[in-house]
Structures are given as C-alpha cells and as structure tokens.
Amino acid sequence: MNEPRYEGQSDEKNVEGTTLRAWVDEMGAFVKEIDPNHLLGAGIEGHGTRYGFGGDEGNPFVRLQQSPYLDFTSAHPYPTEYWADLTLDETKELVRAWIADSHEKVGKPFFMGEFNVHNVDRAAWWSEIYADFEAAGGDGSAFWWYQDREIDGKFGVTQGDPELDVFRAHSARMAAKSGRTSPTGTPTSSPSTGEPTTTPEPTTTPDPPGTPTASPTAGTPCRVDYRLSDWGTTFNADVTIHNTGSTAVDRWELSFTFPGGQSVTQIWNATRVQDGRSVTVTHASGYNTSIAPGATVNFGFSGASQAGTNGVPGSFTLNGTACSSV
C-alpha cells in the first residue's frame, strides 16, 4: 500500500478514518492470506493537524495503523515543501512524535520511508535528522530517491553526492544497533543478502522446540518492558529487553507465560515458539543475536485474544534467569 487517503468527505471521516481503516483491514487480510511471510505497511504520509504536518485526510496515523494486518507504521516526511515549511528542529520533533505514537499507542516499529528535503544543505539536514531518529528509537528508514540517470533535480540523489555518506553512516549504526557487523574482505558487485533489521523471520516456520540455545548465564541482570495495546479480540505487544549487567547476553532467549488464552499471530525482529500459554522468543537468525552490557533489543508482535482476558505476563526469564519487568 502507498499513501492511501479518504479525504474531503466530512470532518468526522477526515479525522476518524473509519472508512479507510475498514479498507486497510480488508486489503491487509487479503494480502496476508496470499503471503503471510512478508511485512505489510500502509505507506501513509503521516499527515494530520495534531502533528502540524499537512491536514486530516481520512488516514489518521494511530487508528489506521492499529490494523492487526499491518506489521509496522510509516510516514513520509517532506518538511521543506511549501505546505509544510518546517524548520530542522520542527522536523526532528515531528519524527519523534511519530516514533513515540508508533511504539506507545500503536505498538509497532516505525519506518521512515520516503524522505527528503530541498533548497537547504541536504547533507546537514540528513545528518541531524538521522542522528535524532536513532536517539529516539526509530526502527527503519529510507529516502527518496537514488538514481543513476535522468536525475530529478529536486529530490534525486546519485553517486558522489555527500548525503550518501550520511546515509551510509546511519545505515552502519542501525546495523550495529541490531547486532550485525559490517562484512570483512573485498566487496563484490553482488548486493548484500543480509536481512534488514525490520524484517522478521517468517512466523509460519519458527525454530523447532528442540533447537539448542546458549546455556543460562547465572545471575545475568535484566529488565523487560512489555507495552500492551489491547483492542479486545486483538492486541499488539512491544517488548524491550534491557541488559542491566556487565556481560553480554549471547543467543538470547526470552520466556514468559500469557495470563489468558492469547496467541501470537505475527512477530517482527525475532522468532517464537508457543505451546499453550507458554511462549519462547529468540533472536532472529543472523541479527539481534547478542545484547551488550547496558544495551537493549526490541521486538514486537500481534496476537489474538478473548475480550477481557488479555493482560501482561507476570514474569520473564532471559536465558533461564529471572528478569524484573515494568
């Protein structure tokens, strides 16, 4: 999906987005039935009077992207357009608002998709926006657009442009945050096949229960932040594991028990095995494999539940060691 709107109908529909949400649910269910193994987003622009960016267009950021069929949120910031006219600081504040609402209200990772500026020092803006994006906990990003011919004079980016160095540095930091390291050796002309940090392992093929994991590390201090967004028969959970100890936690495995009859239907940034109410979540293959001292890893999932029975698990263990939780 990309930049859907249902605008100009009525003030209520422009703000509440009930018509477009129903369409997103229908289309999302259809796409997931065809292919449940890829992430799906609505690709919305993130406009709205509450953000001071564009108007209300029947596609409210929170309600639309609470659809259980969407795996991540998105926004397309073009802050220097005449209708937006945002300063650099206002742009950073806008992106932080999207990230906060994604994590705290929607319960999903945030992807800053189409993004660019013009008539400013592009490399300088990119440097500050990406640094602030990382500090605020943004989950993934891209820009519009890289070209090797017929360069768009407004937004086109091509080989040798200084902003590409900014994006490469940002990409490397995001990869390091996810637990990945840059490849060694002579690069080839073949594109990297490494998995991006926002791409989960297919949820239909979790690691079998017998997969060996690292031995429990006695006394490893940890804390789990479990944020629940409950909509009755569906829910989202955003989970952050904090390593509060002095040694790294390798090949991490988090276990917990649901208080009711919840079932995980989709997961991102991790894999899971569920047996009744018991759930074991492990790092995705090839990334987020280790939690350094003082660092965190984050994953999220969507689930189904019976209305009124949802709740936060009472306890968590990381590689066999009990964690505190909030």
Side-chain angles (χ1 to χ4, degrees):
M1 304 181 196
N2 186 57
E3 298 187 348
R5 298 183 183 183
Y6 189 73
E7 60 184 329
Q9 303 300 314
S10 68
D11 290 343
E12 180 182 359
K13 287 184 179 295
N14 287 346
V15 174
E16 297 299 327
T18 52
T19 299
L20 190 60
R21 168 61 188 272
W23 180 85
V24 167
D25 286 346
E26 181 181 357
M27 293 300 103
F30 177 72
V31 171
K32 287 292 187 180
E33 183 179 0
I34 296 172
D35 179 6
N37 296 329
H38 285 82
L39 294 175
L40 182 64
I44 67 171
E45 300 148 284
H47 293 175
T49 54
R50 67 184 299 268
Y51 295 110
F53 182 65
D56 298 317
E57 300 158 351
N59 53 0
F61 185 90
V62 172
R63 174 160 174 74
L64 187 73
Q65 298 184 117
Q66 284 176 331
S67 170
Y69 303 102
L70 299 183
D71 300 297
F72 59 91
T73 69
S74 70
H76 296 169
Y78 289 93
T80 56
E81 292 298 276
Y82 74 91
W83 50 265
D85 193 26
L86 300 182
T87 66
L88 178 56
D89 286 340
E90 288 170 336
T91 302
K92 291 190 286 187
E93 184 179 351
L94 171 66
V95 173
R96 281 182 173 265
W98 285 328
I99 294 171
D101 281 354
S102 297
H103 293 174
E104 298 170 12
K105 297 180 180 179
V106 184
K108 297 177 183 178
F110 172 70
F111 174 63
M112 189 168 73
E114 292 184 28
F115 153 68
N116 216 328
V117 294
H118 74 290
N119 293 336
V120 295
D121 185 334
R122 183 180 285 169
W125 274 60
W126 283 27
S127 293
E128 290 204 36
I129 289 172
Y130 281 132
D132 202 67
F133 176 90
E134 296 163 28
D139 302 286
S141 60
F143 64 87
W144 182 265
W145 55 329
Y146 181 84
Q147 297 176 283
D148 62 356
R149 62 180 67 87
E150 299 179 359
I151 309 304
D152 170 11
K154 185 175 183 180
F155 291 129
V157 179
T158 192
Q159 183 177 2
D161 288 346
E163 53 267 42
L164 286 180
D165 289 334
V166 176
F167 187 76
R168 290 188 187 99
H170 164 64
S171 178
R173 291 191 299 269
M174 294 295 286
K177 179 182 176 182
S178 75
R180 291 179 57 206
T181 57
S182 299
T184 58
T186 303
T188 68
S189 58
S190 300
S192 169
T193 56
E195 296 172 86
T197 60
T198 54
T199 304
E201 288 291 291
T203 59
T204 56
T205 56
D207 292 337
T211 301
T213 61
S215 299
T217 303
T220 300
C222 51
R223 188 181 84 246
V224 175
D225 297 345
Y226 185 104
R227 293 179 175 178
L228 174 66
S229 299
D230 186 9
W231 303 298
T233 58
T234 61
F235 70 97
N236 277 349
D238 182 79
V239 184
T240 301
I241 306 172
H242 299 255
N243 180 358
T244 57
S246 58
T247 59
V249 180
D250 294 320
R251 299 181 64 189
W252 60 266
E253 178 179 285
L254 185 73
S255 298
F256 56 88
T257 301
F258 281 130
Q262 298 99 316
S263 61
V264 179
T265 56
Q266 297 283 337
I267 192 166
W268 48 89
N269 289 348
T271 64
R272 98 290 188 179
V273 174
Q274 181 169 357
D275 182 9
R277 292 164 52 192
S278 300
V279 180
T280 298
V281 178
T282 59
H283 59 81
S285 176
Y287 62 98
N288 280 351
T289 58
S290 179
I291 315 175
T296 64
V297 294
N298 175 267
F299 64 89
F301 57 86
S302 300
S305 62
Q306 293 182 350
T309 66
N310 211 349
V312 177
S315 61
F316 301 86
T317 59
L318 180 65
N319 286 14
T321 298
C323 298
S324 62
S325 59
V326 294

